[in-house]
Amino acid sequence: MKKWIPIASGLLAGFVAATISFADFSTKTNTEAASSTKSNAEKVYVPFGEKDDYYLFASGGHSGQMFIYGVPSMRKIRTIPVFSQDSATGYGFDEHSKKLMGGYTWGDLHHPAFSETKGDYDGKWMFATDVGNSRAAVVDLKTFTTKDIIKVPNTAGPHCAAFVTENTEYMFLPTRFAVPLGQKYESLDDYSAKYRGVMSAVTFDEKNVKLNIGYQVALPPWSYDLSDAGKKGSADWAVMTTYNTEESTTTMEINASQADRDYIVLFNWKELEKMVKEGKYEEVDGQKMIFPEKQKGGIYLVPVAKSPHGVDVTPDGKYFIASGKLAPAMTVFSFEKAFKAVENKDFAGERNGIPILNYESVMEREVNPENALGPLHTQFDDKGMAYTTMFISSEIVKWDPKTGKTLDRVPVQYSPGHSVSAEGDTVAPDGKWLIALNKIAKDTYLSVGPSHPESMQLIDISGKMKVIMSAPVDPEPHYAQMIKADKIKTINVYPKDTKNKDAVYKQSETKIVRKGNEVHVYGIAMRSRFIFDAKSKRPDVIEVNQGDHVFIHLTNIDFDEDITHGFAINSYDLNMEVQPGQTNTMEFTADKAGTFPLYCTNFCSALHQEMNGYFLVKPKN
Amino acid sequence: MNDSKKGSKFSVTSSLLITLSAVLIVISMFFPWWKMVFYAPQYPEGLNIIVYPNKLKGEIDIINGLNHYIGMSNFSEKNFPELSYLIYIIGGLAGLTLLTAILRMKKVLYGLIGIIALVGVTGILDLHFALQRYGTNLSSKAPIKIDPFVPPIIGENTVANFITHSMLGTGIYFVIAAFILLLIPLWKDRVR
Ligand SMILES: [Cu+2]
């Protein structure tokens, strides 16, 4: 008698059942990158059911927004409102985002920058700056929504930001425009004495999702253009380009282009941090301000061909490459040589109290691809090769930073400002793709009149560079970052927050509470109705008196991915959204008496059209 | 041992099988016993109602939210009082099974098999009537009017844009395995 047969068969039955119930057969693979045997169309085609390999985060410039694209399909996926109002999402209308906006209605979103861990994108946060109204913002990549914005004092137009240090210790905001401290009135005749180009070291408190200013540096009144943090051996350092070291105050097109040399500011942020800890700063406007001419150390100038734009650190952290903008050449500088020059005090004098390093001692090589004009910005591939945009000669030039040799070049249409390669400014770029962010599209797309969209051209860099796709984009990407899609972990619905006193998750707990002339509505939105007070004869009606201060707290109790509801009050200029599981608040004064339909603005269900009610305002006698 | 005793007692191996059966019954309590998956064009991933002996799991809130369109009442643990005591019945059966293994008496085993079969049939009927209650008691004020229906305990059914799949859960397979283990001694220790 084989005793084990029945025992084994019993166990087997259990295991088979478990396998049937728990096995997961659902994983789907992404399209893998360009293989040279594919046609251009096949390389960018992402069939339905599959997803792109990369997310592209493009700054939206003076739209104040950020644009999200998929790569290689170049399909636009999302607009994230950051510095400008957006009625599609109610951004700038609901209480949280209205407060974040700080009374401003637009912004000029320049350089998006991912949070980093060990010099690589960690996919958690995205930072951005506003040149228009001097702000900095952080976007949560779990929800692709803006979580915090700060106004940065003493500075006006943080253009050459944001760039983050290797472990997101700081995000630096140098300024494009010099202004007097506190942005007080000062005559332009006193420009050199009274104006400053203040750089801010912004910190991010990840736990409380709050931006803060660690300290500021009162740099000379020059314009700061672009910047990059060091990597690996140069991780404690950062570099940024300057122009208008002439300190001209008018017609800068001419006057800021006179000197043969401008500078790269090279600074050690660890040292500056130490100085602040030791009290080597002055209090200005509530900020800890370092004045480089008084609190010496940590900041140096490196002479560079005039009016440089980009300065980019190689993935190995050994070199920084400055691009000449008005000069035809790129200059490769060595961090190692710079450190030696600092150590040996190998200075060629001082400007505005800051030591100037000897150009010859720091320069590694000058690179001058034939007939290439207007180098602006450099990105890297997985082999450490450099790709520089040439604004004036409208092309991308691939070259080897170790030899200076030109390897490849491809024309783009037209006038590329920046470019972005896959994770191209990290310690480990991916190669594969590069996107040229072109300022002029002109004849590329169907005409829409005298002005055209900008264009983003996808370039396959896995072999010989080849433009394989062009996608129009609204004004105006200045800079972009491209991240491997699997690094981003979004949530499907907002989790229940039982500590949120504004949230209501049960229909029966909805209520309208009056406190003097304040009316608080604790309501829910669900497919396909609003309930503001379950016990009321008409649960979807809010009735107030003219002049009442109204708070509408609305929770979307459809915990179901993509079932977003909107909430608008007709003729009250109000609209907001509640994403699945989210609670949002709208606050306003009911100053207009009358009858105002309220309705769901975000199409949610077959009976979306029935998802409405009334906001009744009783007139004051 | 005399012959009559030998006829009424079963072997140690059988006792072990019955012990294992008790263990499987206990294990089954930690797994879902039955589930229903709702598929729709908008829900290719499927929405689940997963029934454990003592709780409901799955996307119950979403299903309830959608069910109000056809006027179906809400699924909730409150509407299934069975979930508050079922676990004790199962625990009791596991205890009885273990006792049977210890007593090693055939008569007790027959009794046990009978009780489990009875409880099983009752359970199936209970589930059937619950499904009937839900599918036929539709509110007359529902925005979408559909004909009353009774979803099967195992198999497929179509309601509006949803196709439902009802199936047994892992827990019930453990119970079936446990039941088979109880039957084996009947054959193994049959009087030759
Ligand atoms: Cu809706």
Side-chain angles (χ1 to χ4, degrees):
Chain A
M1 184 72 238
K2 285 181 178 130
K3 287 172 194 159
W4 54 269
I5 292 179
I7 298 174
S9 61
L11 284 174
L12 195 66
F15 283 123
V16 168
T19 312
I20 290 165
S21 312
F22 294 107
D24 183 8
F25 304 107
S26 66
T27 44
K28 227 173 205 166
T29 49
N30 291 355
T31 55
E32 250 318 310
S35 87
S36 53
T37 57
K38 286 183 177 172
S39 71
N40 291 351
E42 284 167 334
K43 282 176 189 171
V44 299
Y45 180 60
V46 178
F48 180 73
E50 288 177 28
K51 283 166 189 160
D52 280 301
D53 294 327
Y54 289 91
Y55 283 97
L56 175 73
F57 286 68
S59 70
H62 44 295
S63 75
Q65 301 169 329
M66 203 173 315
F67 306 133
I68 314 303
Y69 280 72
V71 178
S73 75
M74 300 304 286
R75 293 182 295 209
K76 188 179 176 190
I77 305 168
R78 190 68 164 169
T79 295
I80 308 177
V82 181
F83 296 119
S84 297
Q85 284 183 328
D86 177 44
S87 62
T89 53
Y91 187 82
F93 295 88
D94 65 72
E95 266 320 282
H96 176 250
S97 57
K98 208 160 75 184
K99 272 198 192 112
L100 288 186
M101 296 268 294
Y104 295 97
T105 57
W106 80 287
D108 188 2
L109 192 151
H110 271 246
H111 300 164
F114 283 115
S115 55
E116 293 184 14
T117 302
K118 290 180 183 161
D120 210 351
Y121 301 155
D122 57 26
K124 284 151 83 179
W125 307 97
M126 171 53 87
F127 304 103
T129 54
D130 169 20
V131 178
N133 290 308
S134 304
R135 291 173 292 172
V138 59
V139 170
D140 187 346
L141 298 181
K142 286 197 294 295
T143 56
F144 281 57
T145 54
T146 306
K147 284 290 153 113
D148 194 29
I149 295 181
I150 50 163
K151 172 87 179 150
V152 185
N154 298 320
T155 189
H159 171 262
C160 89
F163 68 98
V164 297
T165 53
E166 221 179 25
N167 289 298
T168 322
E169 293 93 343
Y170 292 98
M171 134 194 181
F172 283 98
L173 270 60
T175 189
R176 172 175 167 191
F177 307 107
V179 289
L181 296 179
Q183 226 168 334
K184 289 193 297 266
Y185 169 83
E186 294 287 355
S187 165
L188 280 162
D189 292 339
D190 300 327
Y191 186 84
S192 291
K194 298 276 174 66
Y195 284 57
R196 288 287 183 155
V198 169
M199 173 178 80
S200 310
V202 173
T203 55
F204 178 54
D205 172 354
E206 192 170 348
K207 205 171 137 244
N208 299 307
V209 197
K210 281 274 159 222
L211 295 165
N212 265 302
I213 300 169
Y215 57 87
Q216 293 189 317
V217 186
L219 291 170
W222 308 336
S223 293
Y224 300 86
D225 203 10
L226 270 176
S227 48
D228 201 1
K231 303 179 177 101
K232 296 180 176 174
S234 57
D236 299 350
W237 296 78
V239 282
M240 55 192 170
T241 52
T242 64
Y243 60 99
N244 195 26
T245 54
E246 295 89 343
E247 300 179 12
S248 73
T249 55
T250 184
T251 323
M252 284 179 54
E253 177 192 13
I254 303 297
N255 295 328
S257 308
Q258 295 306 303
D260 276 346
R261 288 275 153 97
D262 285 299
Y263 300 105
I264 286 172
V265 180
L266 168 75
F267 67 95
N268 184 313
W269 57 266
K270 278 261 170 82
E271 215 168 304
L272 297 182
E273 184 182 71
K274 195 162 151 257
M275 284 162 63
V276 170
K277 265 197 197 121
E278 290 166 357
K280 291 180 186 159
Y281 64 85
E282 287 172 31
E283 196 87 21
V284 177
D285 252 351
Q287 303 301 323
K288 294 166 179 147
M289 186 76 74
I290 295 174
F291 289 86
E293 73 276 20
K294 294 183 221 164
Q295 289 96 25
K296 294 263 183 188
I299 306 176
Y300 306 90
L301 300 174
V302 180
V304 65
K306 77 173 177 186
S307 304
H309 187 59
V311 58
D312 300 282
V313 176
T314 52
D316 59 14
K318 289 187 173 153
Y319 306 98
F320 52 100
I321 297 165
S323 304
K325 188 162 89 181
L326 299 181
M330 286 88 75
T331 316
V332 181
F333 296 95
S334 158
F335 270 114
E336 219 167 291
K337 287 184 178 175
F339 300 158
K340 208 165 279 167
V342 167
E343 204 180 297
N344 300 337
K345 296 200 173 0
D346 183 3
F347 300 147
E350 263 190 11
R351 255 313 285 279
N352 300 43
I354 306 172
I356 303 170
L357 302 183
N358 250 320
Y359 178 75
E360 296 299 333
S361 316
V362 184
M363 196 269 288
E364 186 76 22
R365 66 178 54 85
E366 289 170 348
V367 178
N368 192 354
E370 205 179 343
N371 299 328
L373 278 178
L376 286 192
H377 175 220
T378 301
Q379 290 273 287
F380 303 93
D381 70 11
D382 50 329
K383 295 177 185 72
M385 296 303 116
Y387 297 78
T388 303
T389 49
M390 298 289 168
F391 188 82
I392 299 172
S393 56
S394 259
E395 61 181 329
I396 308 285
V397 174
K398 176 182 178 182
W399 56 283
D400 186 346
K402 296 228 160 64
T403 60
K405 209 177 137 210
T406 301
L407 301 172
D408 195 5
R409 49 209 293 174
V410 66
V412 291
Q413 290 69 36
Y414 305 90
S415 303
H418 290 274
S419 77
V420 55
S421 63
E423 310 209 340
D425 63 359
T426 67
V427 292
D430 284 3
K432 296 178 189 165
W433 303 113
L434 180 104
I435 294 167
L437 309 174
N438 304 322
K439 299 299 185 192
I440 309 287
K442 215 163 78 170
D443 50 9
T444 305
Y445 310 111
L446 288 175
S447 176
V448 287
S451 183
H452 294 263
E454 323 315 322
S455 97
M456 303 195 295
Q457 281 178 303
L458 179 68
I459 301 168
D460 179 358
I461 57 169
S462 54
K464 174 153 178 53
M465 281 196 288
K466 199 173 173 195
V467 175
I468 63 169
M469 171 81 157
S470 170
V473 56
D474 279 333
E476 170 186 330
H478 289 263
Y479 202 86
Q481 302 241 287
M482 206 195 301
I483 187 171
K484 194 92 201 316
D486 59 15
K487 284 190 179 173
I488 291 195
K489 312 261 188 262
T490 53
I491 56 169
N492 300 339
V493 298
Y494 281 84
K496 269 187 195 172
D497 179 5
T498 47
K499 283 190 205 118
N500 183 353
K501 57 182 178 22
D502 295 337
V504 176
Y505 295 108
K506 279 197 187 136
Q507 297 184 28
S508 58
E509 286 168 13
T510 54
K511 61 186 174 190
I512 299 177
V513 182
R514 177 175 279 282
K515 289 180 209 153
N517 71 339
E518 267 188 18
V519 177
H520 284 263
V521 178
Y522 299 89
I524 59 110
M526 60 178 275
R527 278 172 286 181
S528 315
R529 65 179 80 166
F530 293 110
I531 301 176
F532 304 117
D533 178 1
K535 288 165 213 78
S536 161
K537 182 176 162 199
R538 296 186 183 89
D540 46 16
V541 168
I542 302 169
E543 192 159 342
V544 301
N545 300 319
Q546 188 177 9
D548 277 349
H549 198 63
V550 183
F551 297 79
I552 295 169
H553 311 289
L554 190 65
T555 302
N556 180 349
I557 63 165
D558 282 323
F559 285 85
D560 194 359
E561 188 165 18
D562 208 19
I563 305 300
T564 297
H565 295 291
F567 175 82
I569 302 178
N570 178 284
S571 297
Y572 250 90
D573 196 28
L574 290 170
N575 179 40
M576 67 174 180
E577 75 170 12
V578 275
Q579 295 188 8
Q582 192 186 20
T583 303
N584 226 339
T585 297
M586 180 186 275
E587 181 189 339
F588 63 100
T589 303
D591 44 13
K592 277 186 286 194
T595 300
F596 307 96
L598 55 87
Y599 71 106
C600 173
T601 41
N602 201 306
F603 208 108
C604 57
S605 62
L607 295 167
H608 164 76
Q609 204 68 359
E610 280 77 7
M611 188 163 171
N612 48 240
Y614 281 97
F615 179 62
L616 297 171
V617 186
K618 255 189 244 163
K620 264 185 202 155
N621 303 323
Chain B
M1 271 193 261
N2 62 39
D3 276 342
S4 72
K5 265 220 162 171
K6 199 180 173 190
S8 64
K9 278 239 172 189
F10 47 73
S11 67
V12 175
T13 313
S14 293
S15 172
L16 283 175
L17 286 176
I18 295 169
T19 308
L20 182 62
S21 172
V23 171
L24 288 181
I25 294 173
V26 172
I27 290 172
S28 80
M29 297 196 281
F30 301 96
F31 290 91
W33 277 36
W34 185 78
K35 70 174 178 178
M36 200 171 192
V37 194
F38 294 66
Y39 295 97
Q42 299 86 343
Y43 294 93
E45 75 279 17
L47 299 170
N48 296 285
I49 293 182
I50 303 169
V51 182
Y52 286 73
N54 59 343
K55 62 188 172 189
L56 294 179
K57 286 263 168 168
E59 292 75 31
I60 310 285
D61 288 343
I62 297 175
I63 291 168
N64 284 338
L66 295 165
N67 276 353
H68 88 267
Y69 285 118
I70 57 166
M72 192 189 270
S73 46
N74 280 353
F75 291 103
S76 72
E77 291 174 10
K78 211 173 62 201
N79 292 348
F80 288 96
E82 295 91 334
L83 298 176
S84 61
Y85 57 76
L86 197 56
I87 200 89
Y88 299 109
I89 294 179
I90 298 164
L93 288 179
L96 282 181
T97 308
L98 193 63
L99 191 67
T100 308
I102 294 165
L103 293 175
R104 286 175 58 202
M105 287 164 69
K106 281 191 179 174
K107 275 185 187 159
V108 177
L109 180 60
Y110 297 146
L112 178 71
I113 290 170
I115 291 171
I116 290 181
L118 194 68
V119 170
V121 171
T122 312
I124 291 165
L125 287 176
D126 185 61
L127 180 59
H128 172 76
F129 288 125
L131 292 171
Q132 192 176 43
R133 197 165 71 232
Y134 273 98
T136 54
N137 258 335
L138 301 176
S139 162
S140 58
K141 291 179 83 180
I144 300 170
K145 304 260 187 293
I146 61 160
D147 290 333
F149 62 97
V150 184
I153 287 175
I154 300 175
E156 208 180 288
N157 189 42
T158 305
V159 182
N161 59 330
F162 278 90
I163 295 171
T164 64
H165 292 264
S166 313
M167 64 197 84
L168 302 179
T170 315
I172 212 79
Y173 287 108
F174 279 117
V175 173
I176 292 168
F179 194 67
I180 292 168
L181 287 180
L182 291 183
L183 297 179
I184 290 167
L186 295 186
W187 168 78
K188 209 177 91 49
D189 293 338
R190 68 192 182 278
V191 183
R192 270 177 256 222

